[in-house]
């Protein structure tokens, strides 16, 4: 049995690994999906919003606080997987599952060089010998590909990790792990389920009602990156995303070429402001004042070009930035208005990140004296938390 509250508190004092049974809902089935008939996870019966779909322990995980032993986290995770395969045997149940995972078709690096890279060292006989002691060349190459195609990072995801300052916290650490069953979830920029982490466990919950026969999907990439960036990132996995968000973006680009060009130009101007906005975020009022006018102009340009889109997700981050500038300068009424526009740009998309955006809007309205609106936003945040996480004791923390 899982006690999320107990596990989250335990992350404060222990190494963030747990020995609990995995869980998979009886309403989830592994099936061949799509025209290519690749494996995915499908609802075997109707699933209600908020239902826990699975809880799964990482096969291997590298915590940022532990370091990567002189290499990248991908290299460290690959070494950890190879060592476990060597210890347990490739013929074990988990060994067979890991070795059957998709590892891509784009690896052309010579095997000896790859094995040295896996070990986080320069080429040479020592690295080759150590790699050979762990696992054969072919498996080292395969596992590196498996990590690149299937590993999950907890960066910018919700999770509870050890922290000396508080009992629990929203983790922004870039912990990296391989979870075998969740890796079977396919991609959509706006999915019908979402993940969160407690130590080395990943939890997947449905964030909307899912009808029988519907595939479960979640996002492999930053869902609020622009269309070109999302397509670039998903191409690394060997496919072009055709979810509802990408379909709308592709249609907008094709049918409204001039507006699309203006939108991209405005987004580029926003990117140029990021260094100034970063300085302002430290509380630098001079930088906040300097950024105010050009950021407002970016938003005006975006608003004027997005009329043909029903989903105006491009407004999320600029309005969040503008709200922060107003807060730094003490204009909480304007900040509340901007927080609303940011929040409502993605209101229909539920995730734990949206809980925090709702709380940001709630705090802005509270500072502005709008108690009724603040109370409503708090209830929205609580409901999203109930759906995405479930344990309301963690929300109260």
């Amino acid at each position: 049995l899982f006690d999320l509250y107990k596990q989250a508190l335990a992350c404060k004092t222990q190494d963030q690994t747990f020995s609990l049974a995995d869980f998979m809902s009886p309403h989830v089935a592994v099936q061949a999906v799509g025209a290519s008939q690749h494996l995915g996870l499908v609802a075997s019966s109707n699933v209600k919003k908020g239902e826990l779909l699975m809880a799964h322990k990482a096969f291997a995980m590298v915590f940022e606080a532990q370091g990567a032993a002189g290499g990248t986290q991908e290299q460290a995770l690959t070494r950890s997987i190879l060592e476990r395969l060597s210890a347990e045997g490739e013929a074990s149940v988990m060994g067979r599952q890991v070795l059957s995972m998709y590892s891509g078709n784009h690896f052309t690096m010579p095997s000896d060089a790859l094995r040295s890279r896996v070990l986080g060292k320069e080429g040479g006989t020592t690295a080759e010998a150590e790699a050979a002691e762990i696992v054969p060349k072919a498996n080292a190459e395969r596992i590196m590909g498996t990590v690149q195609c299937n590993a999950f990072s907890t960066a910018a995801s919700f999770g509870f990790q050890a922290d000396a300052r508080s009992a629990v916290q929203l983790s922004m650490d870039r912990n990296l792990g391989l979870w075998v069953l969740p890796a079977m979830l396919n991609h959509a920029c706006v999915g019908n389920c979402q993940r969160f982490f407690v130590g080395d466990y990943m939890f997947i919950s449905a964030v909307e009602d899912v009808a029988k026969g519907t595939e479960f999907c979640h996002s492999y990439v930053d869902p609020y990156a622009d269309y070109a960036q999302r397509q670039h990132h998903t191409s690394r996995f060997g496919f072009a995303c055709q979810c509802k968000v990408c379909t709308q973006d592709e249609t907008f680009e094709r049918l409204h070429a001039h507006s699309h060009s203006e939108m991209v130009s405005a987004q580029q101007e926003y990117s140029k402001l990021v260094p100034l906005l970063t300085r302002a975020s430290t509380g630098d009022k001079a930088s906040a004042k300097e950024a105010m006018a050009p950021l407002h102009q970016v938003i005006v340009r975006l608003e004027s070009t997005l009329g043909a889109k029903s989903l105006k997700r491009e407004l999320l981050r600029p309005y969040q930035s503008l709200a922060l500038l107003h807060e730094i300068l003490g204009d909480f009424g304007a900040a509340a208005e901007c927080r609303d526009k940011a929040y409502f740009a993605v209101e229909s998309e539920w995730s734990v990140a949206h809980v925090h955006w709702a709380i940001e809007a709630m705090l802005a309205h509270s500072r502005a004296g709008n108690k009724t609106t603040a109370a409503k936003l708090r209830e929205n945040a609580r409901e999203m938390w109930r759906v995405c996480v479930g344990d309301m004791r963690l929300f109260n923390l």
Side-chain angles (χ1 to χ4, degrees):
L1 296 176
F2 294 97
D3 186 333
L4 293 182
Y5 183 79
K6 181 178 178 180
Q7 286 178 256
L9 292 179
C11 284
K12 179 176 172 62
T13 58
Q14 61 189 50
D15 63 0
Q16 306 179 57
T17 61
F18 300 93
S19 296
L20 301 168
D22 288 343
F23 166 78
M24 181 170 172
S25 167
H27 305 305
V28 178
V30 179
Q31 290 185 15
V33 296
S36 64
Q37 290 294 284
H38 56 275
L39 292 179
L41 300 179
V42 175
S44 56
S45 59
N46 293 339
V47 170
K48 291 292 186 181
K49 180 168 64 176
E51 181 175 330
L52 180 65
L53 303 177
M54 67 183 74
H56 202 67
K57 181 178 175 66
F59 180 81
M61 191 168 184
V62 176
F63 292 95
E64 183 177 55
Q66 298 171 341
T72 67
Q73 281 200 315
E74 284 187 351
Q75 293 164 3
L77 180 59
T78 301
R79 291 195 297 272
S80 180
I81 294 169
L82 294 174
E83 289 163 2
R84 182 171 173 184
L85 288 175
S86 178
E88 297 186 3
E90 297 171 27
S92 67
V93 173
M94 289 300 295
R96 291 198 304 271
Q97 290 179 349
V98 169
L99 291 173
S100 69
M101 296 173 76
Y102 176 70
S103 58
N105 304 309
H106 53 287
F107 297 98
T108 58
M109 186 183 297
S111 293
D112 287 345
L114 179 61
R115 289 153 68 211
S116 299
R117 177 183 169 195
V118 166
L119 288 165
K121 300 180 178 181
E122 298 298 327
T125 56
T126 301
E128 292 172 13
E130 290 182 15
E133 290 175 4
I134 296 175
V135 80
K137 290 182 180 181
N139 282 354
E141 188 166 313
R142 180 189 302 174
I143 296 304
M144 175 62 84
T146 299
V147 166
Q148 293 185 356
C149 295
N150 295 281
F152 290 90
S153 170
T154 63
S157 296
F158 174 74
F160 292 102
Q161 310 295 343
D163 179 66
R165 295 164 298 177
S166 59
V168 294
Q169 68 165 7
L170 175 66
S171 171
M172 300 303 288
D173 290 342
R174 187 182 182 273
N175 303 325
L176 192 69
L178 183 70
W179 287 264
V180 176
L181 186 61
M184 298 186 71
L185 286 163
N186 289 310
H187 167 82
C189 293
V190 177
N192 52 16
C193 60
Q194 69 96 46
R195 60 189 180 269
F196 67 96
F197 302 88
V198 178
D200 63 344
Y201 269 78
M202 182 193 299
F203 297 82
I204 307 285
S205 299
V207 294
E208 60 185 55
D209 292 338
V210 180
K212 179 180 179 179
T214 303
E215 184 179 6
F216 292 107
C217 295
H218 64 168
S219 184
Y220 292 0
V221 303
D222 177 0
Y224 299 105
D226 64 43
Y227 175 59
Q229 289 176 318
R230 299 197 313 273
Q231 289 293 308
H232 170 72
H233 289 311
T234 57
S235 70
R236 297 186 299 113
F237 299 100
F239 67 91
C241 181
Q242 296 179 321
C243 72
K244 64 180 182 181
V245 175
C246 287
T247 298
Q248 180 191 245
D249 287 346
E250 187 277 330
T251 301
F252 180 72
E253 181 177 350
R254 177 166 41 85
L255 298 182
H256 305 277
H258 177 71
S259 293
H260 177 264
S261 178
E262 284 294 306
M263 180 193 74
V264 171
S265 176
Q267 289 175 318
Q268 291 171 343
E269 289 302 310
Y270 176 72
S271 296
K272 294 177 183 177
L273 289 173
V274 168
L276 182 60
L277 294 170
T278 301
R279 292 198 299 274
S281 69
T282 66
D284 182 350
K285 291 187 177 182
S287 295
K289 290 178 181 178
E290 183 181 349
M292 184 70 73
L295 178 57
H296 186 267
Q297 186 58 37
V298 165
I299 291 174
V300 169
R301 291 181 64 191
L302 285 173
E303 292 273 21
S304 68
T305 61
L306 295 173
K309 295 188 70 174
S310 58
L311 299 173
K312 301 179 181 181
R313 304 159 86 247
E314 294 82 1
L315 292 170
L316 170 67
R317 284 172 175 154
Y319 267 123
Q320 286 177 328
S321 298
L322 188 58
L324 180 61
L325 297 184
H326 283 302
E327 287 165 358
I328 292 168
L329 296 175
D331 189 344
F332 297 113
E337 183 179 345
C338 292
R339 292 290 183 193
D340 282 349
K341 290 181 178 179
Y343 173 64
F344 290 115
V346 292
E347 182 187 20
S348 63
E349 305 169 19
W350 281 24
S351 72
V352 178
H354 290 72
V355 175
H356 291 271
W357 296 337
I359 290 174
E360 287 175 341
M362 176 198 75
L363 292 174
H365 279 283
S366 180
R367 294 187 187 106
N370 305 326
K371 294 182 178 180
T372 301
T373 303
K376 182 178 179 180
L377 285 163
R378 186 177 190 277
E379 288 308 306
N380 289 350
R382 286 178 59 84
E383 175 60 13
M384 283 188 282
W385 185 275
R386 184 193 65 78
V387 167
C388 296
V389 178
D391 196 323
M392 296 308 296
R393 294 175 297 173
L394 298 177
F395 180 87
N396 293 330
L397 285 174

